[in-house]
Short mmCIF file of all heavy atoms in Angstrom, two decimals:
data_model
loop_
_atom_site.label_atom_id
_atom_site.label_comp_id
_atom_site.label_asym_id
_atom_site.label_seq_id
_atom_site.Cartn_x
_atom_site.Cartn_y
_atom_site.Cartn_z
N PHE A 24 10.75 26.07 -2.92
CA PHE A 24 10.64 27.38 -2.29
C PHE A 24 10.32 28.38 -3.39
O PHE A 24 10.62 28.17 -4.55
CB PHE A 24 11.92 27.78 -1.55
CG PHE A 24 13.15 27.73 -2.40
CD1 PHE A 24 13.57 28.84 -3.12
CD2 PHE A 24 13.91 26.57 -2.46
CE1 PHE A 24 14.71 28.78 -3.89
CE2 PHE A 24 15.04 26.52 -3.22
CZ PHE A 24 15.45 27.62 -3.95
N THR A 26 10.32 32.15 -5.22
CA THR A 26 11.20 33.30 -5.39
C THR A 26 10.48 34.36 -6.20
O THR A 26 9.59 34.05 -6.99
CB THR A 26 12.47 32.92 -6.14
OG1 THR A 26 12.10 32.31 -7.36
CG2 THR A 26 13.32 32.00 -5.33
N THR A 27 10.88 35.58 -6.00
CA THR A 27 10.34 36.66 -6.82
C THR A 27 11.44 37.13 -7.76
O THR A 27 12.61 36.81 -7.57
CB THR A 27 9.93 37.84 -5.96
OG1 THR A 27 11.04 38.20 -5.14
CG2 THR A 27 8.77 37.48 -5.07
N ARG A 38 23.79 38.81 -1.63
CA ARG A 38 24.97 38.04 -2.01
C ARG A 38 25.38 38.50 -3.40
O ARG A 38 24.55 38.62 -4.29
CB ARG A 38 24.65 36.55 -2.04
CG ARG A 38 24.52 35.95 -0.66
CD ARG A 38 23.78 34.67 -0.71
NE ARG A 38 22.44 34.86 -1.21
CZ ARG A 38 21.49 33.94 -1.12
NH1 ARG A 38 21.75 32.78 -0.58
NH2 ARG A 38 20.30 34.17 -1.60
N VAL A 42 33.75 39.64 -9.84
CA VAL A 42 34.08 39.23 -11.22
C VAL A 42 35.49 39.56 -11.64
O VAL A 42 35.83 39.36 -12.79
CB VAL A 42 33.11 39.89 -12.22
CG1 VAL A 42 31.72 39.41 -11.99
CG2 VAL A 42 33.17 41.38 -12.15
N ASN A 44 39.88 39.31 -11.07
CA ASN A 44 40.77 38.20 -10.80
C ASN A 44 41.57 38.40 -9.53
O ASN A 44 42.70 37.96 -9.43
CB ASN A 44 41.72 37.98 -11.99
CG ASN A 44 42.67 39.13 -12.16
OD1 ASN A 44 42.45 40.20 -11.62
ND2 ASN A 44 43.74 38.92 -12.91
N ASP A 102 22.64 38.45 -15.41
CA ASP A 102 22.02 37.34 -14.70
C ASP A 102 22.56 37.17 -13.30
O ASP A 102 22.11 36.30 -12.57
CB ASP A 102 22.25 36.04 -15.47
CG ASP A 102 21.35 35.95 -16.68
OD1 ASP A 102 20.28 36.57 -16.65
OD2 ASP A 102 21.73 35.27 -17.64
N ASN A 112 41.03 53.91 -1.68
CA ASN A 112 41.36 55.09 -2.50
C ASN A 112 40.85 54.95 -3.93
O ASN A 112 41.03 55.86 -4.71
CB ASN A 112 42.88 55.31 -2.50
CG ASN A 112 43.62 54.08 -2.97
OD1 ASN A 112 43.03 53.16 -3.49
ND2 ASN A 112 44.92 54.07 -2.78
N ASN A 114 41.58 52.38 -6.20
CA ASN A 114 42.31 51.49 -7.11
C ASN A 114 41.71 50.10 -7.09
O ASN A 114 41.44 49.56 -6.03
CB ASN A 114 43.77 51.38 -6.64
CG ASN A 114 44.60 52.50 -7.18
OD1 ASN A 114 44.06 53.41 -7.81
ND2 ASN A 114 45.88 52.47 -6.93
N PRO A 115 41.51 49.48 -8.25
CA PRO A 115 40.98 48.13 -8.23
C PRO A 115 42.01 47.14 -7.70
O PRO A 115 43.20 47.28 -7.94
CB PRO A 115 40.64 47.85 -9.70
CG PRO A 115 41.35 48.85 -10.47
CD PRO A 115 41.64 50.00 -9.60
N THR A 118 43.39 42.69 -11.42
CA THR A 118 44.03 43.33 -12.57
C THR A 118 43.29 43.09 -13.87
O THR A 118 43.59 43.74 -14.86
CB THR A 118 45.47 42.83 -12.74
OG1 THR A 118 45.46 41.42 -12.82
CG2 THR A 118 46.31 43.26 -11.57
N ARG A 119 42.38 42.15 -13.94
CA ARG A 119 41.62 41.93 -15.16
C ARG A 119 40.19 41.61 -14.80
O ARG A 119 39.90 41.03 -13.77
CB ARG A 119 42.18 40.74 -15.96
CG ARG A 119 43.59 40.91 -16.47
CD ARG A 119 43.66 41.86 -17.62
NE ARG A 119 44.99 41.94 -18.18
CZ ARG A 119 45.87 42.87 -17.89
NH1 ARG A 119 45.56 43.81 -17.04
NH2 ARG A 119 47.06 42.87 -18.45
N TYR A 126 28.68 50.13 -20.69
CA TYR A 126 29.25 51.42 -21.13
C TYR A 126 28.71 52.58 -20.30
O TYR A 126 29.31 53.64 -20.28
CB TYR A 126 28.88 51.70 -22.58
CG TYR A 126 29.73 51.00 -23.59
CD1 TYR A 126 29.20 50.04 -24.43
CD2 TYR A 126 31.07 51.34 -23.75
CE1 TYR A 126 29.98 49.42 -25.37
CE2 TYR A 126 31.85 50.72 -24.70
CZ TYR A 126 31.30 49.76 -25.51
OH TYR A 126 32.06 49.14 -26.45
N ARG A 129 30.66 54.97 -18.01
CA ARG A 129 31.47 56.08 -18.47
C ARG A 129 30.75 57.40 -18.31
O ARG A 129 31.35 58.42 -18.02
CB ARG A 129 31.79 55.88 -19.94
CG ARG A 129 33.21 56.11 -20.22
CD ARG A 129 33.52 55.99 -21.61
NE ARG A 129 34.63 56.86 -21.88
CZ ARG A 129 34.99 57.22 -23.08
NH1 ARG A 129 34.31 56.80 -24.10
NH2 ARG A 129 36.01 58.00 -23.25
N GLY A 133 31.72 59.90 -11.33
CA GLY A 133 32.43 59.01 -10.41
C GLY A 133 33.71 58.54 -11.05
O GLY A 133 33.99 58.81 -12.21
N GLU A 134 34.48 57.80 -10.31
CA GLU A 134 35.80 57.41 -10.78
C GLU A 134 35.73 55.99 -11.31
O GLU A 134 35.98 55.04 -10.60
CB GLU A 134 36.80 57.49 -9.64
CG GLU A 134 36.70 58.77 -8.87
CD GLU A 134 37.98 59.07 -8.15
OE1 GLU A 134 38.80 58.15 -8.01
OE2 GLU A 134 38.15 60.22 -7.74
N PHE A 135 35.37 55.85 -12.57
CA PHE A 135 35.22 54.53 -13.15
C PHE A 135 36.23 54.23 -14.23
O PHE A 135 36.27 53.12 -14.73
CB PHE A 135 33.81 54.37 -13.74
CG PHE A 135 32.73 54.71 -12.77
CD1 PHE A 135 31.79 55.67 -13.06
CD2 PHE A 135 32.68 54.09 -11.55
CE1 PHE A 135 30.81 56.00 -12.16
CE2 PHE A 135 31.69 54.40 -10.64
CZ PHE A 135 30.76 55.36 -10.95
N SER A 136 37.08 55.18 -14.59
CA SER A 136 37.98 54.94 -15.70
C SER A 136 38.96 53.82 -15.40
O SER A 136 39.40 53.12 -16.30
CB SER A 136 38.76 56.20 -16.03
OG SER A 136 37.89 57.19 -16.47
N LYS A 137 39.29 53.65 -14.11
CA LYS A 137 40.26 52.59 -13.79
C LYS A 137 39.63 51.22 -13.98
O LYS A 137 40.26 50.30 -14.51
CB LYS A 137 40.71 52.75 -12.36
CG LYS A 137 41.40 54.04 -12.15
CD LYS A 137 42.02 54.11 -10.81
CE LYS A 137 42.64 55.45 -10.63
NZ LYS A 137 43.14 55.63 -9.28
N ALA A 140 39.48 50.51 -17.50
CA ALA A 140 40.78 50.24 -18.12
C ALA A 140 41.19 48.79 -17.95
O ALA A 140 41.93 48.28 -18.77
CB ALA A 140 41.84 51.15 -17.51
N ARG A 143 37.86 43.81 -20.11
CA ARG A 143 38.16 43.26 -21.42
C ARG A 143 36.99 43.44 -22.37
O ARG A 143 37.14 43.90 -23.48
CB ARG A 143 38.48 41.77 -21.26
CG ARG A 143 38.60 41.02 -22.54
CD ARG A 143 39.83 41.41 -23.29
NE ARG A 143 39.66 41.17 -24.71
CZ ARG A 143 39.64 42.14 -25.63
NH1 ARG A 143 39.81 43.38 -25.30
NH2 ARG A 143 39.48 41.84 -26.88
N LYS B 96 34.21 50.21 -28.40
CA LYS B 96 33.85 51.61 -28.62
C LYS B 96 34.12 52.40 -27.36
O LYS B 96 33.24 52.98 -26.76
CB LYS B 96 32.37 51.70 -29.00
CG LYS B 96 32.06 51.00 -30.31
CD LYS B 96 30.64 51.26 -30.73
CE LYS B 96 29.66 50.35 -30.01
NZ LYS B 96 29.68 48.99 -30.57
N TYR B 97 35.38 52.39 -26.94
CA TYR B 97 35.68 53.09 -25.69
C TYR B 97 36.28 54.45 -25.96
O TYR B 97 35.78 55.47 -25.56
CB TYR B 97 36.61 52.22 -24.84
CG TYR B 97 37.03 52.82 -23.54
CD1 TYR B 97 36.11 53.46 -22.72
CD2 TYR B 97 38.33 52.76 -23.09
CE1 TYR B 97 36.48 54.02 -21.52
CE2 TYR B 97 38.71 53.31 -21.90
CZ TYR B 97 37.78 53.94 -21.11
OH TYR B 97 38.16 54.49 -19.92
N GLU B 137 40.65 61.60 -12.00
CA GLU B 137 40.21 60.49 -11.14
C GLU B 137 41.42 59.90 -10.45
O GLU B 137 42.47 59.71 -11.04
CB GLU B 137 39.53 59.43 -12.00
CG GLU B 137 38.34 60.00 -12.74
CD GLU B 137 37.67 58.97 -13.62
OE1 GLU B 137 37.98 57.78 -13.47
OE2 GLU B 137 36.85 59.35 -14.46
N GLY B 138 41.24 59.57 -9.18
CA GLY B 138 42.35 58.97 -8.45
C GLY B 138 43.19 59.98 -7.72
O GLY B 138 44.36 59.74 -7.48
N THR B 141 44.70 58.55 -4.56
CA THR B 141 45.74 57.52 -4.66
C THR B 141 47.09 58.18 -4.80
O THR B 141 47.20 59.37 -5.09
CB THR B 141 45.49 56.64 -5.88
OG1 THR B 141 45.68 57.45 -7.05
CG2 THR B 141 44.08 56.12 -5.90
N ASP B 143 49.54 56.34 -6.73
CA ASP B 143 50.26 55.70 -7.82
C ASP B 143 49.49 55.64 -9.13
O ASP B 143 50.05 55.21 -10.13
CB ASP B 143 50.71 54.29 -7.43
CG ASP B 143 49.52 53.41 -7.05
OD1 ASP B 143 48.40 53.94 -6.96
OD2 ASP B 143 49.73 52.21 -6.83
N TRP B 144 48.25 56.01 -9.17
CA TRP B 144 47.49 55.89 -10.42
C TRP B 144 46.46 57.00 -10.52
O TRP B 144 45.51 57.03 -9.75
CB TRP B 144 46.81 54.52 -10.48
CG TRP B 144 46.20 54.16 -11.79
CD1 TRP B 144 46.17 54.92 -12.93
CD2 TRP B 144 45.53 52.94 -12.10
NE1 TRP B 144 45.52 54.24 -13.92
CE2 TRP B 144 45.12 53.03 -13.45
CE3 TRP B 144 45.24 51.79 -11.39
CZ2 TRP B 144 44.44 52.00 -14.08
CZ3 TRP B 144 44.56 50.77 -12.03
CH2 TRP B 144 44.17 50.88 -13.36
N ASP B 148 39.72 61.27 -18.34
CA ASP B 148 38.98 60.79 -19.50
C ASP B 148 38.50 62.00 -20.29
O ASP B 148 37.62 62.72 -19.85
CB ASP B 148 37.79 59.96 -19.01
CG ASP B 148 37.02 59.35 -20.16
OD1 ASP B 148 37.33 59.63 -21.34
OD2 ASP B 148 36.08 58.59 -19.88
N GLY B 150 36.97 61.93 -23.19
CA GLY B 150 36.02 61.58 -24.25
C GLY B 150 36.67 60.66 -25.26
O GLY B 150 36.55 59.44 -25.18
N TYR B 165 49.63 46.20 -13.24
CA TYR B 165 48.40 46.14 -14.01
C TYR B 165 48.61 45.77 -15.47
O TYR B 165 47.76 45.16 -16.09
CB TYR B 165 47.65 47.47 -13.92
CG TYR B 165 47.05 47.70 -12.56
CD1 TYR B 165 47.63 48.56 -11.65
CD2 TYR B 165 45.88 47.05 -12.18
CE1 TYR B 165 47.07 48.77 -10.40
CE2 TYR B 165 45.33 47.24 -10.94
CZ TYR B 165 45.92 48.10 -10.07
OH TYR B 165 45.37 48.30 -8.83
N GLU B 166 49.76 46.20 -16.05
CA GLU B 166 50.08 45.83 -17.44
C GLU B 166 48.95 46.17 -18.40
O GLU B 166 48.46 45.32 -19.15
CB GLU B 166 50.42 44.34 -17.54
CG GLU B 166 51.77 44.02 -16.94
CD GLU B 166 52.07 42.54 -17.01
OE1 GLU B 166 51.13 41.74 -17.11
OE2 GLU B 166 53.25 42.19 -16.97
N LEU B 170 47.00 44.39 -22.07
CA LEU B 170 45.56 44.12 -22.21
C LEU B 170 45.00 44.80 -23.45
O LEU B 170 44.25 44.20 -24.21
CB LEU B 170 44.83 44.63 -20.97
CG LEU B 170 43.31 44.54 -21.02
CD1 LEU B 170 42.87 43.10 -21.06
CD2 LEU B 170 42.70 45.22 -19.83
N TRP B 171 45.40 46.05 -23.68
CA TRP B 171 44.78 46.80 -24.76
C TRP B 171 45.38 46.51 -26.11
O TRP B 171 44.78 46.82 -27.13
CB TRP B 171 44.82 48.30 -24.45
CG TRP B 171 43.83 48.64 -23.40
CD1 TRP B 171 44.00 48.55 -22.06
CD2 TRP B 171 42.48 49.06 -23.60
NE1 TRP B 171 42.85 48.90 -21.41
CE2 TRP B 171 41.90 49.22 -22.33
CE3 TRP B 171 41.72 49.31 -24.73
CZ2 TRP B 171 40.59 49.64 -22.17
CZ3 TRP B 171 40.40 49.74 -24.55
CH2 TRP B 171 39.86 49.89 -23.30
N PRO B 175 42.32 39.42 -26.44
CA PRO B 175 42.04 38.13 -25.80
C PRO B 175 43.26 37.26 -25.60
O PRO B 175 43.19 36.25 -24.92
CB PRO B 175 41.06 37.46 -26.77
CG PRO B 175 41.25 38.16 -28.05
CD PRO B 175 41.68 39.55 -27.74
N ASP B 177 45.93 38.17 -24.06
CA ASP B 177 46.67 38.66 -22.92
C ASP B 177 46.92 37.52 -21.94
O ASP B 177 46.04 36.72 -21.66
CB ASP B 177 45.84 39.78 -22.26
CG ASP B 177 46.50 40.33 -21.05
OD1 ASP B 177 47.72 40.48 -21.08
OD2 ASP B 177 45.80 40.60 -20.08
N GLN B 179 47.56 37.54 -18.69
CA GLN B 179 46.87 37.57 -17.40
C GLN B 179 45.44 37.08 -17.53
O GLN B 179 44.90 36.44 -16.64
CB GLN B 179 46.88 38.99 -16.84
CG GLN B 179 48.17 39.36 -16.19
CD GLN B 179 48.02 40.59 -15.32
OE1 GLN B 179 46.96 40.86 -14.80
NE2 GLN B 179 49.10 41.34 -15.18
N GLN B 186 35.68 31.18 -14.34
CA GLN B 186 34.84 31.49 -13.19
C GLN B 186 33.56 30.67 -13.24
O GLN B 186 32.93 30.57 -14.27
CB GLN B 186 34.50 32.98 -13.19
CG GLN B 186 35.73 33.80 -13.03
CD GLN B 186 35.44 35.26 -13.18
OE1 GLN B 186 34.52 35.63 -13.88
NE2 GLN B 186 36.20 36.08 -12.51
N ASP B 191 24.04 29.45 -5.39
CA ASP B 191 22.66 29.88 -5.24
C ASP B 191 22.16 30.63 -6.47
O ASP B 191 21.18 31.34 -6.42
CB ASP B 191 22.54 30.78 -4.00
CG ASP B 191 23.51 31.95 -4.07
OD1 ASP B 191 24.32 32.00 -5.01
OD2 ASP B 191 23.47 32.79 -3.16
N PHE B 192 22.84 30.47 -7.57
CA PHE B 192 22.45 31.16 -8.78
C PHE B 192 21.22 30.49 -9.37
O PHE B 192 21.21 29.29 -9.59
CB PHE B 192 23.61 31.10 -9.77
CG PHE B 192 23.35 31.78 -11.06
CD1 PHE B 192 23.25 33.15 -11.11
CD2 PHE B 192 23.20 31.06 -12.22
CE1 PHE B 192 23.02 33.79 -12.29
CE2 PHE B 192 22.97 31.69 -13.41
CZ PHE B 192 22.88 33.05 -13.46
N GLU B 205 6.59 32.93 -7.79
CA GLU B 205 6.80 31.88 -8.77
C GLU B 205 7.42 30.71 -8.05
O GLU B 205 8.37 30.86 -7.31
CB GLU B 205 7.74 32.38 -9.85
CG GLU B 205 7.74 31.54 -11.09
CD GLU B 205 8.79 32.06 -12.05
OE1 GLU B 205 9.97 31.82 -11.80
OE2 GLU B 205 8.41 32.72 -13.02
N ARG B 207 9.67 27.63 -7.91
CA ARG B 207 10.79 27.11 -8.67
C ARG B 207 11.43 25.99 -7.87
O ARG B 207 11.25 25.89 -6.67
CB ARG B 207 11.84 28.19 -8.91
CG ARG B 207 11.35 29.35 -9.69
CD ARG B 207 11.48 29.14 -11.15
NE ARG B 207 12.79 28.67 -11.49
CZ ARG B 207 13.11 28.32 -12.73
NH1 ARG B 207 12.23 28.39 -13.67
NH2 ARG B 207 14.31 27.88 -13.01
#
Side-chain angles (χ1 to χ4, degrees):
Chain A
F24 55 90
T26 54
T27 53
R38 286 161 299 193
V42 296
N44 66 343
D102 284 333
N112 56 12
N114 275 5
T118 55
R119 296 286 185 263
Y126 279 115
R129 227 183 150 196
E134 313 203 344
F135 307 123
S136 296
K137 298 188 182 174
R143 171 70 205 115
Chain B
K96 297 187 279 284
Y97 179 44
E137 301 178 13
T141 66
D143 58 352
W144 190 359
D148 183 356
Y165 288 103
E166 287 179 337
L170 175 66
W171 286 85
D177 179 40
Q179 280 196 29
Q186 296 174 331
D191 55 355
F192 181 69
E205 196 185 75
R207 298 273 311 175

